Amino acid sequence: PLTELKLDRRFVDAVLTPHGERIVRGITAMAHSLGMTCVGEGVEQPCQVAALQRAGCDIGQGWFLGRPQPAPAFERDRRILDIAC
């Protein structure tokens, strides 16, 4: 079963525009309505984190949040978007 919907980095780049944020908000709402977690790929700037949080995205991944690493190190060091902010 599918549990995550990943937003391509092009959507993460577009989230900084009003139109792009509305698209990401819609995709995130669709993912949540299907019981899925929404993951934003390619996060490279703090402003993208804030925009993804506003749009309701659950998790971010990318260079800004952490470098690629082996799974055990990732589990220990991962950063998850805090949607309560």
Side-chain angles (χ1 to χ4, degrees):
L2 300 174
T3 60
E4 293 181 344
L5 185 146
K6 286 195 172 187
L7 290 169
D8 186 82
R9 67 180 306 116
R10 290 174 284 194
F11 289 108
V12 172
D13 289 340
V15 77
L16 299 177
T17 67
H19 183 69
E21 188 170 337
R22 286 191 297 272
I23 291 170
V24 170
R25 191 177 302 277
I27 294 169
T28 301
M30 180 184 67
H32 291 162
S33 72
L34 295 169
M36 300 171 80
T37 300
C38 191
V39 180
E41 294 184 311
V43 178
E44 296 180 354
Q45 304 169 31
C47 55
Q48 290 172 319
V49 173
L52 289 171
Q53 287 174 329
R54 285 192 305 271
C57 191
D58 302 297
I59 299 172
Q61 66 183 52
W63 289 99
F64 176 73
L65 300 170
R67 304 272 186 223
Q69 54 190 310
F74 171 77
E75 287 300 322
R76 186 180 60 242
D77 299 336
R78 72 180 174 191
R79 296 183 189 181
I80 298 174
L81 293 177
D82 180 9
I83 60 173
C85 288

